[in-house]
Amino acid sequence: MSSAPGSIDPAADPHIDPRTDPFADPTADPEAALAGERAHLAASRACLRRMREETEAIDLRDVGGNDVSNKIVTSLIQTRIAALADLADVPLFFGRVDGRFADAPDVSTGTAPVEVRADPSRPVERFWIGRRHVHDHLGDPMVVDWRAPVSRSFYRATRIDPLGVELRRRFGWTGGELTAFEDEHLTDPGEADGKSAILAAEIERPRVGPMRDIVATIQPDQDEIVRADLGQTVCVQGAPGTGKTAVGLHRVAWLLYAHRDRLNRSGTLVVGPNRSFLDYIQQVLPALGEVEVGQTTVEDLVANVPVKAADTPGSGRLKGDARMADVLRRAVWSGLAAPTEGLLVVRGSRRWRLPSYEIEEILDGLRGRDVRYGAARDMLHQRLAHGILVQMERAGESPDDRVQDAVARSKPVRDMVNALWPAVDPAKLVLRLLSEPEFLAEHADGLLTADEQAAILWAKPARGVRTAPWTPADAVLVDEVADLVSRTGSVGHVVVDEAQDLSAMQCRAIGRRCTTGSATVLGDIAQGTTPWAATDWSETLRHLGRADVRYEELTQGFRVPREILEFASRLLPHIAPGLAPASSVREAPGSLDLRAVDDPQAVDNTAATEAARLLTHEGSIGLIAADAQIPALAAALREAALDFRQLGTEADETRLNLVPASLAKGLEFDHIAVVEPAAIVEAEPQGLRRLYVVLTRAVSGLTIIHNRPLPDELSAA
């Protein structure tokens, strides 16, 4: 517990335990109680500063014994220093629980999760809950990591099941300054239930720039998903504003806390739909003290060839079809040949022969093994060499492993392996499939129709890998072949966001990155906008290679106001009839504004004027339109002398964002203006789903500017 006003400052005297000074009764003297909490904050920041300074002072000279070990240890220490950063504008703690718990909870970092049970016979203990663990000079906790077992009670305790908690306190912050607190006495039957004003303010707080963590506002159903065990793959179907992306990121942070040693060895990975999305979420994990999580897109994940072209919707859908995996498998293994003669190896003055029938037996044995093409090819060298060694032993010689290795590397063996089991270059094989109709027809027979084969062939023959007109879908095919040749490395956990937009082949590419780990699959069937978008999760999960999956559905929104969500949900019967409309805990009368413009030539200028008006409000602004309309809107914004950033470019961050509809997914803005919804719908086959995505990006207000009639599907029921 922090010092009350007038007591010794624990930050100035490290021998004073700040938790031994009782707080003033907040009902009798709230200002004194607030001062006590501020004193605890000051003491906690001083302790965090000491922890960082002690880490920085560690002498790393020759600690590992060699250069490699020294570099590893230095990297670990630097990561630890980065995790101990005290961000001035980020609250160090956001809550407190006072309770009687069965056991003194283990609140140190990196422990396996355990349940915390109530015990009325124990004295009251107080724990401040924050983004990272902070301890004093004695090693006792000043701030408990939100992932620690005792923190679970902060998120899940209720009056019906208080989990040992007698008081739950939430803190209000302005920047990095503690400005208010709010108490719930969970064991007091005389206290009426009420909504937390601080919780609501934190949920609704305007945001500018990248996505923030939601660690202070995690709800019980979200916490259940966040703390799912590492060995369990979780699929989260989440309506707009339900926090599914944040839940996925917080699950990574929790897994790294609970299973740090294991995941530090195997690694973790977040896969997002595009670079704009990754830029948007990039600060969440570092704010939680996790700085070593890889973040990538599918395109970057499979970047084995230079992508220079784009597929049509039809060819992209076919190249992403799961049948292509069988076409590629046939093509990879099609180069095997039967031996026409035996193997002759000369060593010194002796000649050794391996007859063709024994070579055939070796080939049959390798074909029947469940190994990659390249691994089997490497085995063939050794199997042929072993066959020669058997001949040597029959003749009375005693060859050892060195002799076998020398025979395996000999020219006769290498020549035979190249003839019978030729090496496969993934890019060259896919290039041949897409540019040679006869080769494609041979391996797609019975899998793809003649019309489908014609649809995926390149229009012009390509001369080489570097000059081929590679598309994103082609790069995924190359990655598939690379895995058929040599096994792709796996990480301990993968988070896949906007997974409903993945093709079967993209799912396979991600799935092979977590064959020995688990996954968190996030998305919303209603927001699928690709030609191959999922209509249910079973197919997506099957292609990801996840059989035993825990399915969760988030339907309660916290960010998008009810008025906006209900308006956008008019599209659901047309785009995802099997999904129930999401609800929202927020009501914001006046948050929806439909604005018709009589003159079609005035739409862009009206949008610029609306953007200028929205800039008078607090928070971020998104001006969203069909991709083709973005240049005209950019010109109108420049003419109005408005500072803006166009998503998809390298422009500096500003409050006003010009957003092509194709890049809006996964983002959110405090206020958005959507220009000509009809044009968004007409721009692509999944236009209604794209419009649903666009309409649900708003947190505080949605303005729709249109000259053309709104789509019929948005008409009131």
Side-chain angles (χ1 to χ4, degrees), residues 14-15 45-60 76-78 80-82 84-85 133-140:
H15 300 290
R45 289 197 183 280
C47 290
L48 178 60
R49 184 166 58 252
R50 175 188 51 77
M51 291 169 62
R52 183 181 175 96
E53 290 170 351
E54 289 177 351
T55 305
E56 291 173 334
I58 295 176
D59 187 356
L60 299 177
L76 291 174
I77 294 297
Q78 292 303 318
R80 172 67 173 162
I81 291 172
L84 290 172
H133 173 86
V134 180
H135 59 257
D136 64 12
H137 66 290
L138 299 175
D140 294 325

PDB file of all heavy atoms in Angstrom, residues 14-15 45-60 76-78 80-82 84-85 133-140:
ATOM      1  N   PRO A  14      14.486   3.785   0.279  1.00  0.00           N
ATOM      2  CA  PRO A  14      14.151   2.451  -0.202  1.00  0.00           C
ATOM      3  C   PRO A  14      13.964   1.430   0.909  1.00  0.00           C
ATOM      4  O   PRO A  14      13.516   0.321   0.649  1.00  0.00           O
ATOM      5  CB  PRO A  14      15.357   2.089  -1.089  1.00  0.00           C
ATOM      6  CG  PRO A  14      16.476   2.904  -0.567  1.00  0.00           C
ATOM      7  CD  PRO A  14      15.850   4.182  -0.090  1.00  0.00           C
ATOM      8  N   HIS A  15      14.323   1.786   2.173  1.00  0.00           N
ATOM      9  CA  HIS A  15      14.152   0.834   3.265  1.00  0.00           C
ATOM     10  C   HIS A  15      12.730   0.863   3.829  1.00  0.00           C
ATOM     11  O   HIS A  15      12.383   0.054   4.673  1.00  0.00           O
ATOM     12  CB  HIS A  15      15.161   1.130   4.385  1.00  0.00           C
ATOM     13  CG  HIS A  15      16.581   1.032   3.920  1.00  0.00           C
ATOM     14  ND1 HIS A  15      17.168  -0.166   3.598  1.00  0.00           N
ATOM     15  CD2 HIS A  15      17.526   1.989   3.686  1.00  0.00           C
ATOM     16  CE1 HIS A  15      18.419   0.033   3.201  1.00  0.00           C
ATOM     17  NE2 HIS A  15      18.654   1.345   3.248  1.00  0.00           N
ATOM     18  N   ARG A  45       7.294   3.857  -9.818  1.00  0.00           N
ATOM     19  CA  ARG A  45       8.148   4.340 -10.909  1.00  0.00           C
ATOM     20  C   ARG A  45       9.613   4.369 -10.469  1.00  0.00           C
ATOM     21  O   ARG A  45      10.511   4.054 -11.262  1.00  0.00           O
ATOM     22  CB  ARG A  45       7.699   5.730 -11.362  1.00  0.00           C
ATOM     23  CG  ARG A  45       6.373   5.743 -12.120  1.00  0.00           C
ATOM     24  CD  ARG A  45       6.187   7.039 -12.887  1.00  0.00           C
ATOM     25  NE  ARG A  45       4.912   7.114 -13.571  1.00  0.00           N
ATOM     26  CZ  ARG A  45       4.626   6.544 -14.730  1.00  0.00           C
ATOM     27  NH1 ARG A  45       5.556   5.825 -15.334  1.00  0.00           N
ATOM     28  NH2 ARG A  45       3.434   6.674 -15.280  1.00  0.00           N
ATOM     29  N   ALA A  46       9.864   4.719  -9.226  1.00  0.00           N
ATOM     30  CA  ALA A  46      11.235   4.723  -8.720  1.00  0.00           C
ATOM     31  C   ALA A  46      11.804   3.306  -8.700  1.00  0.00           C
ATOM     32  O   ALA A  46      12.969   3.077  -9.053  1.00  0.00           O
ATOM     33  CB  ALA A  46      11.267   5.331  -7.321  1.00  0.00           C
ATOM     34  N   CYS A  47      10.972   2.339  -8.321  1.00  0.00           N
ATOM     35  CA  CYS A  47      11.423   0.944  -8.303  1.00  0.00           C
ATOM     36  C   CYS A  47      11.682   0.437  -9.715  1.00  0.00           C
ATOM     37  O   CYS A  47      12.652  -0.300  -9.955  1.00  0.00           O
ATOM     38  CB  CYS A  47      10.385   0.065  -7.605  1.00  0.00           C
ATOM     39  SG  CYS A  47      10.271   0.330  -5.817  1.00  0.00           S
ATOM     40  N   LEU A  48      10.819   0.807 -10.663  1.00  0.00           N
ATOM     41  CA  LEU A  48      11.033   0.390 -12.047  1.00  0.00           C
ATOM     42  C   LEU A  48      12.320   0.989 -12.593  1.00  0.00           C
ATOM     43  O   LEU A  48      13.084   0.318 -13.302  1.00  0.00           O
ATOM     44  CB  LEU A  48       9.838   0.816 -12.911  1.00  0.00           C
ATOM     45  CG  LEU A  48       9.930   0.481 -14.404  1.00  0.00           C
ATOM     46  CD1 LEU A  48      10.050  -1.028 -14.619  1.00  0.00           C
ATOM     47  CD2 LEU A  48       8.714   1.035 -15.155  1.00  0.00           C
ATOM     48  N   ARG A  49      12.573   2.249 -12.229  1.00  0.00           N
ATOM     49  CA  ARG A  49      13.805   2.900 -12.667  1.00  0.00           C
ATOM     50  C   ARG A  49      15.023   2.173 -12.082  1.00  0.00           C
ATOM     51  O   ARG A  49      16.026   1.959 -12.779  1.00  0.00           O
ATOM     52  CB  ARG A  49      13.790   4.362 -12.240  1.00  0.00           C
ATOM     53  CG  ARG A  49      14.981   5.176 -12.731  1.00  0.00           C
ATOM     54  CD  ARG A  49      14.724   6.665 -12.561  1.00  0.00           C
ATOM     55  NE  ARG A  49      14.438   7.030 -11.185  1.00  0.00           N
ATOM     56  CZ  ARG A  49      13.236   7.394 -10.741  1.00  0.00           C
ATOM     57  NH1 ARG A  49      12.204   7.437 -11.580  1.00  0.00           N
ATOM     58  NH2 ARG A  49      13.045   7.729  -9.473  1.00  0.00           N
ATOM     59  N   ARG A  50      14.917   1.766 -10.807  1.00  0.00           N
ATOM     60  CA  ARG A  50      16.020   1.033 -10.194  1.00  0.00           C
ATOM     61  C   ARG A  50      16.224  -0.323 -10.891  1.00  0.00           C
ATOM     62  O   ARG A  50      17.361  -0.733 -11.149  1.00  0.00           O
ATOM     63  CB  ARG A  50      15.727   0.813  -8.705  1.00  0.00           C
ATOM     64  CG  ARG A  50      16.775  -0.048  -8.004  1.00  0.00           C
ATOM     65  CD  ARG A  50      16.335  -0.403  -6.589  1.00  0.00           C
ATOM     66  NE  ARG A  50      14.993  -0.963  -6.554  1.00  0.00           N
ATOM     67  CZ  ARG A  50      14.692  -2.222  -6.913  1.00  0.00           C
ATOM     68  NH1 ARG A  50      15.640  -3.028  -7.339  1.00  0.00           N
ATOM     69  NH2 ARG A  50      13.461  -2.643  -6.833  1.00  0.00           N
ATOM     70  N   MET A  51      15.145  -1.011 -11.228  1.00  0.00           N
ATOM     71  CA  MET A  51      15.252  -2.306 -11.919  1.00  0.00           C
ATOM     72  C   MET A  51      15.963  -2.142 -13.260  1.00  0.00           C
ATOM     73  O   MET A  51      16.818  -2.949 -13.635  1.00  0.00           O
ATOM     74  CB  MET A  51      13.852  -2.895 -12.138  1.00  0.00           C
ATOM     75  CG  MET A  51      13.157  -3.352 -10.870  1.00  0.00           C
ATOM     76  SD  MET A  51      11.394  -3.735 -11.140  1.00  0.00           S
ATOM     77  CE  MET A  51      11.508  -5.084 -12.309  1.00  0.00           C
ATOM     78  N   ARG A  52      15.620  -1.073 -13.959  1.00  0.00           N
ATOM     79  CA  ARG A  52      16.256  -0.836 -15.262  1.00  0.00           C
ATOM     80  C   ARG A  52      17.739  -0.487 -15.087  1.00  0.00           C
ATOM     81  O   ARG A  52      18.598  -0.992 -15.819  1.00  0.00           O
ATOM     82  CB  ARG A  52      15.521   0.286 -16.004  1.00  0.00           C
ATOM     83  CG  ARG A  52      16.062   0.567 -17.410  1.00  0.00           C
ATOM     84  CD  ARG A  52      15.282   1.713 -18.064  1.00  0.00           C
ATOM     85  NE  ARG A  52      15.862   2.070 -19.343  1.00  0.00           N
ATOM     86  CZ  ARG A  52      15.442   1.615 -20.516  1.00  0.00           C
ATOM     87  NH1 ARG A  52      14.446   0.759 -20.566  1.00  0.00           N
ATOM     88  NH2 ARG A  52      16.017   2.004 -21.644  1.00  0.00           N
ATOM     89  N   GLU A  53      18.038   0.368 -14.106  1.00  0.00           N
ATOM     90  CA  GLU A  53      19.429   0.765 -13.882  1.00  0.00           C
ATOM     91  C   GLU A  53      20.276  -0.438 -13.475  1.00  0.00           C
ATOM     92  O   GLU A  53      21.431  -0.572 -13.896  1.00  0.00           O
ATOM     93  CB  GLU A  53      19.485   1.853 -12.813  1.00  0.00           C
ATOM     94  CG  GLU A  53      18.920   3.194 -13.289  1.00  0.00           C
ATOM     95  CD  GLU A  53      18.770   4.188 -12.155  1.00  0.00           C
ATOM     96  OE1 GLU A  53      18.935   3.770 -10.976  1.00  0.00           O
ATOM     97  OE2 GLU A  53      18.472   5.372 -12.423  1.00  0.00           O
ATOM     98  N   GLU A  54      19.726  -1.316 -12.662  1.00  0.00           N
ATOM     99  CA  GLU A  54      20.470  -2.513 -12.255  1.00  0.00           C
ATOM    100  C   GLU A  54      20.745  -3.414 -13.452  1.00  0.00           C
ATOM    101  O   GLU A  54      21.818  -4.017 -13.561  1.00  0.00           O
ATOM    102  CB  GLU A  54      19.689  -3.274 -11.184  1.00  0.00           C
ATOM    103  CG  GLU A  54      19.658  -2.578  -9.827  1.00  0.00           C
ATOM    104  CD  GLU A  54      18.812  -3.331  -8.812  1.00  0.00           C
ATOM    105  OE1 GLU A  54      18.122  -4.300  -9.217  1.00  0.00           O
ATOM    106  OE2 GLU A  54      18.837  -2.964  -7.623  1.00  0.00           O
ATOM    107  N   THR A  55      19.773  -3.509 -14.335  1.00  0.00           N
ATOM    108  CA  THR A  55      19.972  -4.331 -15.536  1.00  0.00           C
ATOM    109  C   THR A  55      21.020  -3.704 -16.443  1.00  0.00           C
ATOM    110  O   THR A  55      21.880  -4.398 -16.994  1.00  0.00           O
ATOM    111  CB  THR A  55      18.641  -4.488 -16.286  1.00  0.00           C
ATOM    112  OG1 THR A  55      17.646  -5.020 -15.403  1.00  0.00           O
ATOM    113  CG2 THR A  55      18.795  -5.426 -17.479  1.00  0.00           C
ATOM    114  N   GLU A  56      20.963  -2.384 -16.606  1.00  0.00           N
ATOM    115  CA  GLU A  56      21.937  -1.693 -17.455  1.00  0.00           C
ATOM    116  C   GLU A  56      23.356  -1.791 -16.888  1.00  0.00           C
ATOM    117  O   GLU A  56      24.336  -1.733 -17.634  1.00  0.00           O
ATOM    118  CB  GLU A  56      21.542  -0.227 -17.608  1.00  0.00           C
ATOM    119  CG  GLU A  56      20.271  -0.010 -18.427  1.00  0.00           C
ATOM    120  CD  GLU A  56      19.807   1.432 -18.419  1.00  0.00           C
ATOM    121  OE1 GLU A  56      20.126   2.152 -17.440  1.00  0.00           O
ATOM    122  OE2 GLU A  56      19.127   1.847 -19.368  1.00  0.00           O
ATOM    123  N   ALA A  57      23.445  -1.954 -15.570  1.00  0.00           N
ATOM    124  CA  ALA A  57      24.765  -1.979 -14.923  1.00  0.00           C
ATOM    125  C   ALA A  57      25.420  -3.356 -14.950  1.00  0.00           C
ATOM    126  O   ALA A  57      26.561  -3.504 -14.503  1.00  0.00           O
ATOM    127  CB  ALA A  57      24.632  -1.511 -13.472  1.00  0.00           C
ATOM    128  N   ILE A  58      24.718  -4.363 -15.462  1.00  0.00           N
ATOM    129  CA  ILE A  58      25.301  -5.705 -15.498  1.00  0.00           C
ATOM    130  C   ILE A  58      26.535  -5.707 -16.391  1.00  0.00           C
ATOM    131  O   ILE A  58      26.502  -5.228 -17.526  1.00  0.00           O
ATOM    132  CB  ILE A  58      24.264  -6.728 -16.011  1.00  0.00           C
ATOM    133  CG1 ILE A  58      23.095  -6.840 -15.016  1.00  0.00           C
ATOM    134  CG2 ILE A  58      24.906  -8.093 -16.232  1.00  0.00           C
ATOM    135  CD1 ILE A  58      21.981  -7.745 -15.496  1.00  0.00           C
ATOM    136  N   ASP A  59      27.634  -6.233 -15.882  1.00  0.00           N
ATOM    137  CA  ASP A  59      28.891  -6.307 -16.629  1.00  0.00           C
ATOM    138  C   ASP A  59      28.847  -7.534 -17.536  1.00  0.00           C
ATOM    139  O   ASP A  59      28.841  -8.677 -17.072  1.00  0.00           O
ATOM    140  CB  ASP A  59      30.071  -6.414 -15.669  1.00  0.00           C
ATOM    141  CG  ASP A  59      31.417  -6.323 -16.396  1.00  0.00           C
ATOM    142  OD1 ASP A  59      31.406  -6.257 -17.646  1.00  0.00           O
ATOM    143  OD2 ASP A  59      32.457  -6.327 -15.711  1.00  0.00           O
ATOM    144  N   LEU A  60      28.804  -7.297 -18.840  1.00  0.00           N
ATOM    145  CA  LEU A  60      28.657  -8.378 -19.807  1.00  0.00           C
ATOM    146  C   LEU A  60      29.982  -8.816 -20.412  1.00  0.00           C
ATOM    147  O   LEU A  60      29.997  -9.643 -21.323  1.00  0.00           O
ATOM    148  CB  LEU A  60      27.707  -7.937 -20.931  1.00  0.00           C
ATOM    149  CG  LEU A  60      26.279  -7.583 -20.489  1.00  0.00           C
ATOM    150  CD1 LEU A  60      25.480  -7.086 -21.680  1.00  0.00           C
ATOM    151  CD2 LEU A  60      25.606  -8.789 -19.861  1.00  0.00           C
ATOM    152  N   LEU A  76      19.844 -10.727 -24.900  1.00  0.00           N
ATOM    153  CA  LEU A  76      18.840 -10.980 -23.867  1.00  0.00           C
ATOM    154  C   LEU A  76      18.756  -9.805 -22.895  1.00  0.00           C
ATOM    155  O   LEU A  76      17.657  -9.394 -22.497  1.00  0.00           O
ATOM    156  CB  LEU A  76      19.182 -12.265 -23.115  1.00  0.00           C
ATOM    157  CG  LEU A  76      19.036 -13.578 -23.905  1.00  0.00           C
ATOM    158  CD1 LEU A  76      19.560 -14.747 -23.079  1.00  0.00           C
ATOM    159  CD2 LEU A  76      17.583 -13.811 -24.296  1.00  0.00           C
ATOM    160  N   ILE A  77      19.900  -9.260 -22.525  1.00  0.00           N
ATOM    161  CA  ILE A  77      19.906  -8.130 -21.592  1.00  0.00           C
ATOM    162  C   ILE A  77      19.286  -6.897 -22.238  1.00  0.00           C
ATOM    163  O   ILE A  77      18.505  -6.165 -21.606  1.00  0.00           O
ATOM    164  CB  ILE A  77      21.340  -7.830 -21.112  1.00  0.00           C
ATOM    165  CG1 ILE A  77      21.875  -8.995 -20.268  1.00  0.00           C
ATOM    166  CG2 ILE A  77      21.383  -6.531 -20.326  1.00  0.00           C
ATOM    167  CD1 ILE A  77      21.089  -9.242 -18.999  1.00  0.00           C
ATOM    168  N   GLN A  78      19.613  -6.649 -23.500  1.00  0.00           N
ATOM    169  CA  GLN A  78      19.032  -5.496 -24.192  1.00  0.00           C
ATOM    170  C   GLN A  78      17.522  -5.628 -24.305  1.00  0.00           C
ATOM    171  O   GLN A  78      16.785  -4.642 -24.189  1.00  0.00           O
ATOM    172  CB  GLN A  78      19.668  -5.355 -25.580  1.00  0.00           C
ATOM    173  CG  GLN A  78      21.141  -4.956 -25.562  1.00  0.00           C
ATOM    174  CD  GLN A  78      21.374  -3.646 -24.815  1.00  0.00           C
ATOM    175  OE1 GLN A  78      20.615  -2.688 -24.946  1.00  0.00           O
ATOM    176  NE2 GLN A  78      22.444  -3.603 -24.027  1.00  0.00           N
ATOM    177  N   ARG A  80      15.644  -7.220 -22.185  1.00  0.00           N
ATOM    178  CA  ARG A  80      15.144  -6.971 -20.828  1.00  0.00           C
ATOM    179  C   ARG A  80      15.110  -5.476 -20.527  1.00  0.00           C
ATOM    180  O   ARG A  80      14.140  -4.972 -19.942  1.00  0.00           O
ATOM    181  CB  ARG A  80      16.045  -7.701 -19.829  1.00  0.00           C
ATOM    182  CG  ARG A  80      15.774  -7.390 -18.359  1.00  0.00           C
ATOM    183  CD  ARG A  80      14.442  -7.895 -17.912  1.00  0.00           C
ATOM    184  NE  ARG A  80      14.268  -7.726 -16.473  1.00  0.00           N
ATOM    185  CZ  ARG A  80      13.098  -7.767 -15.865  1.00  0.00           C
ATOM    186  NH1 ARG A  80      11.990  -7.976 -16.566  1.00  0.00           N
ATOM    187  NH2 ARG A  80      13.011  -7.613 -14.554  1.00  0.00           N
ATOM    188  N   ILE A  81      16.130  -4.757 -20.938  1.00  0.00           N
ATOM    189  CA  ILE A  81      16.163  -3.303 -20.716  1.00  0.00           C
ATOM    190  C   ILE A  81      15.006  -2.631 -21.447  1.00  0.00           C
ATOM    191  O   ILE A  81      14.324  -1.753 -20.901  1.00  0.00           O
ATOM    192  CB  ILE A  81      17.517  -2.726 -21.179  1.00  0.00           C
ATOM    193  CG1 ILE A  81      18.643  -3.208 -20.254  1.00  0.00           C
ATOM    194  CG2 ILE A  81      17.468  -1.204 -21.212  1.00  0.00           C
ATOM    195  CD1 ILE A  81      20.032  -2.858 -20.749  1.00  0.00           C
ATOM    196  N   ALA A  82      14.769  -3.054 -22.698  1.00  0.00           N
ATOM    197  CA  ALA A  82      13.664  -2.475 -23.468  1.00  0.00           C
ATOM    198  C   ALA A  82      12.327  -2.755 -22.798  1.00  0.00           C
ATOM    199  O   ALA A  82      11.424  -1.910 -22.790  1.00  0.00           O
ATOM    200  CB  ALA A  82      13.680  -3.029 -24.889  1.00  0.00           C
ATOM    201  N   LEU A  84      11.744  -2.978 -19.717  1.00  0.00           N
ATOM    202  CA  LEU A  84      11.620  -2.222 -18.468  1.00  0.00           C
ATOM    203  C   LEU A  84      11.455  -0.725 -18.700  1.00  0.00           C
ATOM    204  O   LEU A  84      11.556   0.063 -17.754  1.00  0.00           O
ATOM    205  CB  LEU A  84      12.856  -2.467 -17.592  1.00  0.00           C
ATOM    206  CG  LEU A  84      12.977  -3.867 -16.986  1.00  0.00           C
ATOM    207  CD1 LEU A  84      14.328  -4.038 -16.313  1.00  0.00           C
ATOM    208  CD2 LEU A  84      11.843  -4.136 -15.998  1.00  0.00           C
ATOM    209  N   ALA A  85      11.205  -0.329 -19.933  1.00  0.00           N
ATOM    210  CA  ALA A  85      11.017   1.095 -20.223  1.00  0.00           C
ATOM    211  C   ALA A  85       9.786   1.626 -19.503  1.00  0.00           C
ATOM    212  O   ALA A  85       8.740   0.975 -19.460  1.00  0.00           O
ATOM    213  CB  ALA A  85      10.890   1.304 -21.728  1.00  0.00           C
ATOM    214  N   HIS A 133       5.469  -6.273 -14.375  1.00  0.00           N
ATOM    215  CA  HIS A 133       5.813  -6.513 -12.968  1.00  0.00           C
ATOM    216  C   HIS A 133       6.860  -5.499 -12.495  1.00  0.00           C
ATOM    217  O   HIS A 133       7.835  -5.233 -13.194  1.00  0.00           O
ATOM    218  CB  HIS A 133       6.358  -7.939 -12.834  1.00  0.00           C
ATOM    219  CG  HIS A 133       6.895  -8.256 -11.476  1.00  0.00           C
ATOM    220  ND1 HIS A 133       6.096  -8.715 -10.453  1.00  0.00           N
ATOM    221  CD2 HIS A 133       8.153  -8.193 -10.968  1.00  0.00           C
ATOM    222  CE1 HIS A 133       6.837  -8.913  -9.385  1.00  0.00           C
ATOM    223  NE2 HIS A 133       8.091  -8.601  -9.668  1.00  0.00           N
ATOM    224  N   VAL A 134       6.646  -4.954 -11.312  1.00  0.00           N
ATOM    225  CA  VAL A 134       7.615  -4.057 -10.673  1.00  0.00           C
ATOM    226  C   VAL A 134       7.765  -4.510  -9.221  1.00  0.00           C
ATOM    227  O   VAL A 134       6.755  -4.720  -8.532  1.00  0.00           O
ATOM    228  CB  VAL A 134       7.148  -2.586 -10.721  1.00  0.00           C
ATOM    229  CG1 VAL A 134       8.180  -1.687 -10.036  1.00  0.00           C
ATOM    230  CG2 VAL A 134       6.898  -2.130 -12.149  1.00  0.00           C
ATOM    231  N   HIS A 135       8.999  -4.675  -8.767  1.00  0.00           N
ATOM    232  CA  HIS A 135       9.205  -5.060  -7.377  1.00  0.00           C
ATOM    233  C   HIS A 135      10.117  -4.061  -6.674  1.00  0.00           C
ATOM    234  O   HIS A 135      10.859  -3.315  -7.307  1.00  0.00           O
ATOM    235  CB  HIS A 135       9.793  -6.476  -7.281  1.00  0.00           C
ATOM    236  CG  HIS A 135      11.104  -6.640  -7.986  1.00  0.00           C
ATOM    237  ND1 HIS A 135      11.226  -7.267  -9.198  1.00  0.00           N
ATOM    238  CD2 HIS A 135      12.371  -6.262  -7.643  1.00  0.00           C
ATOM    239  CE1 HIS A 135      12.487  -7.276  -9.576  1.00  0.00           C
ATOM    240  NE2 HIS A 135      13.207  -6.667  -8.650  1.00  0.00           N
ATOM    241  N   ASP A 136      10.052  -4.086  -5.342  1.00  0.00           N
ATOM    242  CA  ASP A 136      10.881  -3.173  -4.559  1.00  0.00           C
ATOM    243  C   ASP A 136      12.245  -3.805  -4.277  1.00  0.00           C
ATOM    244  O   ASP A 136      12.582  -4.864  -4.812  1.00  0.00           O
ATOM    245  CB  ASP A 136      10.168  -2.768  -3.268  1.00  0.00           C
ATOM    246  CG  ASP A 136       9.931  -3.957  -2.337  1.00  0.00           C
ATOM    247  OD1 ASP A 136      10.511  -5.044  -2.579  1.00  0.00           O
ATOM    248  OD2 ASP A 136       9.168  -3.796  -1.364  1.00  0.00           O
ATOM    249  N   HIS A 137      13.032  -3.153  -3.399  1.00  0.00           N
ATOM    250  CA  HIS A 137      14.388  -3.623  -3.146  1.00  0.00           C
ATOM    251  C   HIS A 137      14.421  -4.972  -2.430  1.00  0.00           C
ATOM    252  O   HIS A 137      15.442  -5.661  -2.426  1.00  0.00           O
ATOM    253  CB  HIS A 137      15.148  -2.576  -2.311  1.00  0.00           C
ATOM    254  CG  HIS A 137      14.604  -2.402  -0.925  1.00  0.00           C
ATOM    255  ND1 HIS A 137      13.382  -1.816  -0.677  1.00  0.00           N
ATOM    256  CD2 HIS A 137      15.112  -2.754   0.286  1.00  0.00           C
ATOM    257  CE1 HIS A 137      13.154  -1.800   0.626  1.00  0.00           C
ATOM    258  NE2 HIS A 137      14.193  -2.360   1.231  1.00  0.00           N
ATOM    259  N   LEU A 138      13.286  -5.350  -1.822  1.00  0.00           N
ATOM    260  CA  LEU A 138      13.205  -6.646  -1.147  1.00  0.00           C
ATOM    261  C   LEU A 138      12.681  -7.744  -2.068  1.00  0.00           C
ATOM    262  O   LEU A 138      12.614  -8.907  -1.663  1.00  0.00           O
ATOM    263  CB  LEU A 138      12.292  -6.540   0.080  1.00  0.00           C
ATOM    264  CG  LEU A 138      12.736  -5.552   1.167  1.00  0.00           C
ATOM    265  CD1 LEU A 138      11.684  -5.461   2.258  1.00  0.00           C
ATOM    266  CD2 LEU A 138      14.080  -5.982   1.745  1.00  0.00           C
ATOM    267  N   GLY A 139      12.283  -7.360  -3.273  1.00  0.00           N
ATOM    268  CA  GLY A 139      11.719  -8.329  -4.206  1.00  0.00           C
ATOM    269  C   GLY A 139      10.221  -8.483  -4.107  1.00  0.00           C
ATOM    270  O   GLY A 139       9.624  -9.319  -4.802  1.00  0.00           O
ATOM    271  N   ASP A 140       9.582  -7.688  -3.236  1.00  0.00           N
ATOM    272  CA  ASP A 140       8.128  -7.755  -3.102  1.00  0.00           C
ATOM    273  C   ASP A 140       7.457  -6.910  -4.186  1.00  0.00           C
ATOM    274  O   ASP A 140       7.982  -5.868  -4.585  1.00  0.00           O
ATOM    275  CB  ASP A 140       7.698  -7.256  -1.721  1.00  0.00           C
ATOM    276  CG  ASP A 140       8.178  -8.179  -0.612  1.00  0.00           C
ATOM    277  OD1 ASP A 140       8.212  -9.409  -0.855  1.00  0.00           O
ATOM    278  OD2 ASP A 140       8.517  -7.677   0.476  1.00  0.00           O
TER     279      ASP A 140
END
